[in-house]
Amino acid sequence: MKCLTFFLLGLLHLTAAARPIVIAHRGASGYAPEHTRGAVTLAHAQGADFIEQDIVLTRDDVPVVLHDTQLDTISDAATLFPDRHRPDGHWYALDFTLAELRRLNLCERVSPKTGKAVYPARFPHGSGRFQILTLEEEFQIIQGLNRSTGRTAGVYPEIKQPAWHRREGHDISRIVLPILRRYGYQNRTDACWLQCFELEEIRRLRGELAWQGRLVLLTGGRSKTGPDRLFTAEGLAELTPLVDGIGPPLSVIVDGATPDAARVTDFVALAHAQKLQVHPYTLRTDDLPKCAATPAALLDLLITQAGIDGLFTDFPDTVIHWLDRPSPLPK
């Protein structure tokens, strides 16, 4: 009996050590409009380990939490400010002061082509009143909930389009890093992962801007026209001095045209060989890839078979419930 007890304790310890982090993608955005107070609060209540913040700047250089530099598909900017679009027909957060952006009502994301909700079964489009949050406001919500609940959720900010911001005369990284440090996010031991899609900005963050915290390079999918060095052992080895992890789309980890043809790639193994964590995006229960018929099947592919270290999801509770499911006793 004692041997069985020690075995089970060891198994539990192994499971806990290998448990991937659950990252609330734009908050619990499967249930409330993305990056709103409701989405952030619900993500914390559902038990997300980290909550994501996409960051763009206002005209007066205030970092706000929005997925896009444009406002068209997640707000009523066109109605409130009909003449403030650029020649390309889009409304940009960078062209508005924070006070002006406060007037907007955020909504469930719509398609720019059809004007209809991208995910029609989610929060009713146009219902309720949701305001843009500044980065500091979101940190205050998360840290306040950490204190009141006794459970720590970390932050997972993304610096959006830094090269574009600099071309527009605004250095977003130089503005954001002091805020991260002021809220206690600056070292690898802090509950923060900083992410960016632009490799040159990753280099700048590590070098010129002296960021000492954890850093993730976000990537697109594999090239359809030829080899992509990033997804090779050699390419990943070149990243190890810069980053602590890689954030690829799910298609880099699993593929297959049908569930019967589902296949796990070697990407996670290659990244782990370079001591890089892998945090793919995004599990959506209402938009599963073709290789998985159910969320549970996709989670089994990603976690049990591929061995990812973290997962972005619009539905944090779905992933947490799967992770917390009862495990069968050893035979």
Side-chain angles (χ1 to χ4, degrees):
M1 183 66 182
K2 184 180 292 186
C3 291
L4 177 60
T5 300
F6 280 124
F7 177 83
L8 290 174
L9 288 173
L11 182 64
L12 287 172
H13 174 75
L14 177 63
T15 302
R19 182 186 177 100
I21 60 172
V22 178
I23 307 155
H25 182 246
R26 310 178 201 174
S29 56
Y31 300 102
E34 62 186 56
H35 288 317
T36 60
R37 190 177 300 269
V40 174
T41 303
L42 183 56
H44 197 291
Q46 290 183 340
D49 299 302
F50 288 82
I51 301 172
E52 183 193 35
Q53 300 80 37
D54 293 302
I55 310 167
V56 303
L57 292 180
T58 66
R59 190 172 70 189
D60 42 353
D61 281 336
V62 179
V64 292
V65 185
L66 289 170
H67 181 263
D68 305 317
T69 57
Q70 301 167 2
L71 301 164
D72 313 20
T73 59
I74 47 81
S75 79
D76 54 356
T79 300
L80 289 183
F81 301 101
D83 301 322
R84 296 282 294 277
H85 58 78
R86 292 194 180 192
D88 63 4
H90 295 296
W91 285 255
Y92 287 80
L94 196 58
D95 295 335
F96 296 83
T97 65
L98 177 62
E100 290 173 324
L101 291 179
R102 294 287 200 199
R103 295 174 55 190
L104 299 178
N105 189 30
L106 301 185
C107 60
E108 188 65 37
R109 180 172 291 273
V110 299
S111 165
K113 294 181 179 180
T114 67
K116 296 182 179 180
V118 174
Y119 301 104
R122 296 190 182 185
F123 197 92
H125 176 73
S127 298
R129 174 69 182 166
F130 300 95
Q131 278 192 316
I132 285 176
L133 292 170
T134 68
L135 180 63
E136 291 200 66
E137 288 169 340
E138 181 150 334
F139 285 173
Q140 289 163 8
I141 293 169
I142 293 169
Q143 293 189 355
L145 289 170
N146 287 349
R147 177 176 177 178
S148 62
T149 64
R151 189 191 74 81
T152 297
V155 301
Y156 209 122
E158 178 188 345
I159 295 177
K160 302 292 290 190
Q161 298 189 37
W164 176 85
H165 274 92
R166 286 202 304 280
R167 288 195 299 271
E168 294 284 326
H170 300 257
D171 192 339
I172 184 171
S173 293
R174 196 174 289 279
I175 291 168
V176 166
L177 291 189
I179 295 174
L180 290 175
R181 294 178 177 122
R182 187 159 67 247
Y183 280 84
Y185 306 120
Q186 55 186 334
N187 299 312
R188 283 183 168 89
T189 54
D190 298 323
C192 174
W193 290 83
L194 181 61
Q195 56 179 336
C196 186
F197 269 101
E198 298 177 18
L199 181 55
E200 285 307 309
E201 194 70 9
I202 292 283
R203 292 193 177 102
R204 183 169 178 254
L205 287 164
R206 276 289 186 239
E208 175 189 346
L209 300 179
W211 172 248
Q212 297 298 312
R214 290 179 287 193
L215 197 53
V216 167
L217 174 66
L218 295 168
T219 76
R222 295 177 187 270
S223 171
K224 296 181 180 179
T225 58
D228 192 324
R229 183 173 175 79
L230 175 62
F231 302 114
T232 67
E234 294 77 15
L236 291 168
E238 293 172 1
L239 296 175
T240 54
L242 296 171
V243 300
D244 303 276
I246 305 291
L250 297 179
S251 59
V252 171
I253 312 297
V254 294
D255 62 19
T258 67
D260 290 338
R263 182 183 72 92
V264 172
T265 72
D266 63 353
F267 181 77
V268 175
L270 291 174
H272 284 173
Q274 301 300 328
K275 297 184 173 14
L276 294 172
Q277 292 204 21
V278 181
H279 300 168
Y281 61 90
T282 303
L283 185 145
R284 297 181 172 102
T285 62
D286 50 1
D287 188 18
L288 293 170
K290 295 178 180 179
C291 64
T294 65
L298 181 57
L299 288 166
D300 182 68
L301 287 168
L302 292 168
I303 298 173
T304 308
Q305 298 185 41
I308 62 170
D309 306 286
L311 179 61
F312 286 87
T313 176
D314 293 3
F315 299 87
D317 57 335
T318 296
V319 181
I320 291 167
H321 290 162
W322 187 88
L323 289 169
D324 290 341
R325 73 200 187 286
S327 299
L329 289 172
K331 296 181 180 179

